[in-house]
């Protein structure tokens, strides 16, 4: 009898934990159901229904169009090419950051991460200033350049360089170098030792990084919207055109379904690679593997990586700043002063007010994302069953599903009681929070999983409620990670463009929307103001990220 009581007592915390996990999932699931699934379903239904009857034949009709097949081909081709080019350029950088200890390493690590949190509009603007017609490289050595596929591919490398460095480099820094050294002692060449020992261990991380880069480039919007012009269009850009310019909701709905299926498949494969990476290796502390470069070869590699970072990551941002200061009267702040005037008629307010709007929206979105993402991360902390893995995949969907569809779906679905939010200011933060939640989860989850579960069980046995367990056990250990998660959510919310372009009101534009509208108008003044706003947005994001890097610990997140 005593043994039975003991077993029941030991099982009780586990049952309470499972029940608490379901309660923690409730609010995030409701949030995603109302503000993600419902708007997407509404726009798809609007496009594929006619008089209450589903017209699935429209899918075949849309896919039979040559222009749509060209969009599908270009979307897939440029995503594959961008992924391959990013891996080729960024893998040496991942090795350098993982294995070399050199002066300024932490600052440089923050610098290479800045592009990842920059708004895609700013990235597109920077490469337009660098490679586009009239850009810094236009006419160099007698070569005339235009907004071409190369500009799009290099912009994607710029944007996703940090994904490879953090994902692959983070694992590489924890692999025990003595295993490769043992193979060298047994007679293997340097390349053979790397190929047979290190590469198999790294392959899950490389696959995960490649899948994430492919996902981000497959759904690319702001970069292609600015650089591609009327000639090149991805699925995301085409959904925007069909929705806002042609008003062909049937075509937009079909393209949304195609993108949704593709993103779901990518995330499913990515989840498998993450599980392999987490369970197949024995790791060591990162600080024990980095050493000063030795020999001419290692110093040459370090120099080459630093040069590539300077050319591919720093130069475009420098050109952006230079263009914002290059006025007809010479270098100066004329374009910045012009932001205080609303005489051009593009906005109902002065463009400078977009800065305050963006900060207010981003702060509200951050608060929402931290609450929803924090609850979701806590729910994912336990044993990874099928339900938990499905919930994890749900949280990642907003990173890949068309933000344009979500934004337009907001206007269609949230326009009548009890969710009549069409004219409410909260609509923009809600859309931005959808993108911020995955970053909160990915930042907090590794830290929460590192908390000793026996501490939670002991608190539960002593009668503490789930809320008190979180407050007394988890929160003190994850406070720093929570601040970092909030910073990431703030940065990505500040730059959200795909959904915001639909729902931001003309009298309350955000910075990315203001930049896109200015670039859409002819004239040096509009172009200069776009460069000035892009520079301001870049500086705000960079400062936020540099502050985050100062708070980061080795386990504070996967980004």
């Amino acid at each position: 009898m005593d043994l039975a009581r003991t077993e029941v007592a030991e099982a009780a915390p586990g049952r309470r934990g499972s029940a608490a996990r379901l309660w923690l999932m409730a609010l995030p699931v409701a949030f995603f159901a109302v503000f993600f699934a419902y708007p997407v379903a509404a726009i798809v239904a609007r496009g594929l229904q006619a008089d209450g009857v589903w017209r699935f034949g429209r899918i075949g009709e849309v896919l039979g169009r040559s222009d749509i097949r060209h969009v599908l081909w270009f979307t897939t081709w440029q995503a594959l090419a961008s992924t391959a080019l990013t891996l080729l350029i960024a893998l040496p950088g991942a090795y350098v950051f993982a294995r070399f200890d050199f002066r300024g390493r932490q600052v440089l690590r923050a610098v290479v991460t800045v592009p990842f949190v920059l708004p895609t509009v700013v990235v597109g603007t920077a490469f337009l200033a660098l490679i586009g017609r009239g850009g810094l490289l236009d006419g160099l050595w007698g070569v005339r350049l235009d907004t071409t596929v190369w500009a799009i591919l290099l912009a994607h490398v710029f944007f996703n360089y940090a994904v490879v460095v953090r994902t692959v480099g983070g694992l590489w820094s924890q692999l025990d170098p003595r295993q490769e050294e043992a193979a060298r002692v047994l007679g293997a060449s340097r390349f053979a030792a790397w190929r047979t020992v290190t590469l198999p261990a790294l392959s899950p991380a490389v696959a995960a990084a490649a899948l994430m880069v492919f996902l981000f480039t497959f759904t690319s919007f702001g970069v292609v919207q600015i650089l591609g012009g009327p000639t090149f269009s991805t699925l995301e850009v085409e959904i925007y055109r069909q929705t806002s310019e042609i008003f062909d909701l049937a075509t937009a709905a079909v393209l949304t379904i195609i993108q949704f299926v593709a993103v779901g498949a990518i995330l499913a494969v990515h989840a498998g690679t993450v599980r392999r990476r987490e369970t197949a290796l024995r790791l060591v502390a990162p600080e024990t593997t980095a050493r000063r470069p030795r020999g001419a070869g290692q110093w040459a590699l370090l120099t080459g990586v630093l040069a590539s970072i300077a050319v591919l990551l720093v130069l475009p941002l420098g050109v952006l700043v230079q263009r914002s200061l290059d006025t007809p009267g010479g270098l100066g702040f004329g374009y910045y002063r012009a932001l205080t005037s609303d005489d051009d008629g593009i906005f109902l307010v002065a463009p400078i007010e977009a800065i305050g709007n963006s900060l207010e929206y981003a702060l509200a979105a951050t608060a929402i994302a931290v609450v929803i993402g924090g609850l979701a991360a806590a729910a994912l902390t336990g044993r990874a069953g099928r339900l938990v893995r499905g919930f994890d995949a749900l949280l990642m969907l907003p990173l890949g599903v068309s933000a344009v569809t979500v934004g337009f779906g907001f206007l269609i679905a949230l326009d009548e009681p009890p969710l009549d939010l069409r004219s409410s200011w909260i609509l923009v933060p809600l859309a931005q929070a959808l993108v911020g939640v995955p970053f909160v989860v990915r930042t907090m989850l590794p830290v929460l999983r590192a908390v000793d579960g026996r501490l939670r069980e002991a608190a539960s046995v002593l009668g503490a409620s789930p809320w008190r367990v979180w407050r007394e056990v988890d929160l003190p250990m994850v406070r720093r990670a929570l601040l970092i998660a909030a910073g990431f959510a703030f940065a990505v919310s500040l730059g959200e463009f795909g959904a915001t372009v639909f729902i931001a009101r003309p009298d309350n534009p955000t910075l990315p929307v203001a930049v896109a509208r200015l670039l859409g108008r002819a004239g040096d003044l509009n172009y200069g103001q776009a460069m000035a706003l892009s520079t301001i947005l870049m500086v705000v994001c960079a400062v936020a990220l540099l502050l985050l890097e100062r708070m980061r610990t080795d386990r504070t997140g996967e980004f």
Side-chain angles (χ1 to χ4, degrees), residues 253-556:
V254 171
L255 296 180
T256 297
I257 293 173
I258 294 171
Q259 185 166 309
F260 184 85
V261 172
V263 168
I266 294 169
L267 291 177
V269 177
H270 178 264
T273 62
V274 170
R275 286 197 298 273
R276 285 176 57 200
R277 183 179 59 182
E278 290 178 345
T279 59
L281 300 173
R282 289 191 306 170
L283 305 178
V284 298
E287 59 271 13
T288 65
T289 62
R291 301 175 180 174
R292 296 283 297 175
R294 293 176 296 182
Q298 291 190 354
W299 280 107
L301 177 60
L302 176 59
T303 303
V305 168
L306 294 179
S308 67
I309 291 174
V311 173
L312 287 173
L313 305 186
V314 179
L315 180 61
L317 300 180
V319 172
L320 187 67
V321 176
Q322 183 268 332
R323 284 303 182 92
S324 72
L325 299 172
D326 189 11
T327 67
L331 293 179
F333 294 94
Y335 291 137
Y336 290 88
R337 287 192 292 269
L339 296 175
T340 60
S341 172
D342 59 352
D343 295 336
D344 53 17
I346 299 178
F347 306 102
L348 299 179
V349 296
I352 195 70
E353 294 193 19
I355 300 173
N357 295 335
S358 287
L359 293 176
E360 292 175 2
Y361 288 144
L363 287 172
T366 299
I368 297 171
V370 167
V371 172
I372 300 298
L375 291 173
L380 291 170
T381 303
R383 185 175 300 173
R386 184 173 300 176
L387 176 64
V388 172
R389 288 197 296 268
F391 179 60
D392 195 9
L394 169 68
L395 299 173
M396 294 294 290
L397 279 177
L399 291 181
V401 174
S402 171
V404 170
T405 301
V406 174
F408 194 60
F410 270 30
L411 296 181
I412 290 178
L414 306 180
D415 63 342
E416 57 185 26
L419 292 173
D420 187 6
L421 303 176
R422 193 166 181 171
S423 59
S424 174
W425 69 273
I426 197 64
L427 210 58
V428 173
L430 286 171
Q432 294 174 342
L434 284 172
V435 182
V437 167
F439 288 89
V440 174
V441 174
R442 298 267 75 83
T443 302
M444 293 188 63
L445 190 56
V447 184
L448 284 171
R449 284 177 173 168
V451 177
D452 192 340
R454 291 173 296 183
L455 296 176
R456 299 190 186 99
E457 293 175 1
S460 298
V461 169
L462 293 174
S465 65
W467 163 246
R468 188 171 182 182
V469 171
W470 161 258
R471 180 167 55 87
E472 301 291 343
V473 177
D474 293 83
L475 184 58
M477 298 185 180
V478 302
R479 186 178 291 112
R480 182 184 292 265
L482 186 63
L483 292 174
I484 293 174
F488 266 113
F490 177 80
V492 298
S493 299
L494 198 65
E496 203 288 321
F497 176 61
T500 308
V501 70
F502 276 100
I503 57 182
R505 293 164 48 181
D507 58 341
N508 285 290
T510 63
L511 275 169
V513 172
V515 170
R517 289 179 183 173
L518 287 167
L519 287 175
R521 297 286 292 266
D524 292 338
L525 179 61
N526 292 325
Y527 180 80
Q529 289 183 92
M531 295 294 167
L533 280 179
S534 296
T535 301
I536 293 172
L537 189 51
M538 175 193 70
V539 170
V540 173
C541 290
V543 169
L545 188 65
L546 290 172
L547 291 176
L548 294 181
E549 283 297 317
R550 292 182 64 88
M551 293 188 295
R552 180 178 294 278
T553 64
D554 291 335
R555 294 183 302 182
T556 47

Side-chain angles (χ1 to χ4, degrees), residues 96-297:
V96 165
F97 281 101
R99 294 302 198 203
F100 291 172
D101 183 17
F102 53 92
R103 187 184 299 274
R105 178 177 172 225
Q106 288 302 111
V107 174
L108 193 62
R109 192 171 185 266
V111 169
V112 301
T113 311
V114 168
F116 180 69
V117 299
L118 283 179
T120 55
V121 172
V122 174
V123 175
T125 305
F127 276 83
L128 185 67
L130 181 65
I131 299 178
R133 184 167 297 280
L136 180 66
L137 301 184
D138 189 22
L140 189 65
W141 299 309
V143 178
R144 302 299 301 179
L145 296 174
D146 201 349
T147 304
T148 62
V149 173
W150 274 111
I152 295 173
L153 297 182
L154 290 175
H156 285 157
V157 173
F158 171 91
F159 189 73
N160 293 293
Y161 187 95
V163 176
V164 177
V165 168
R166 286 190 175 273
T167 304
V168 180
L171 179 62
W172 211 334
S173 66
Q174 298 178 73
L175 295 180
D176 192 343
R178 291 175 296 183
Q179 297 178 1
E180 189 173 324
E181 292 169 0
R184 295 289 309 280
V185 170
L186 293 174
S189 64
R190 184 180 298 274
F191 176 75
W194 178 83
R195 179 176 57 83
T196 57
V197 177
T198 304
L199 182 59
L202 283 178
S203 58
V206 174
L211 285 167
M212 291 307 295
V213 173
F214 183 85
L215 174 65
F216 291 139
T217 53
F218 186 82
T219 58
S220 181
F221 177 56
V223 168
V224 180
Q225 173 79 352
I226 291 176
L227 295 175
T231 306
F232 301 105
S233 178
T234 58
L235 273 173
E236 186 82 354
V237 174
E238 192 63 27
I239 291 171
Y240 174 75
R241 290 177 180 172
Q242 296 292 335
T243 303
S244 64
E245 298 176 8
I246 305 176
F247 303 107
D248 186 352
L249 294 186
T251 299
V254 171
L255 296 180
T256 297
I257 293 173
I258 294 171
Q259 185 166 309
F260 184 85
V261 172
V263 168
I266 294 169
L267 291 177
V269 177
H270 178 264
T273 62
V274 170
R275 286 197 298 273
R276 285 176 57 200
R277 183 179 59 182
E278 290 178 345
T279 59
L281 300 173
R282 289 191 306 170
L283 305 178
V284 298
E287 59 271 13
T288 65
T289 62
R291 301 175 180 174
R292 296 283 297 175
R294 293 176 296 182

Side-chain angles (χ1 to χ4, degrees), residues 63-74:
L63 293 178
R65 291 165 46 182
S66 60
D67 60 327
I68 297 300
R69 289 199 301 271
H70 176 74
V71 169
L72 291 173
W73 174 84
F74 178 74

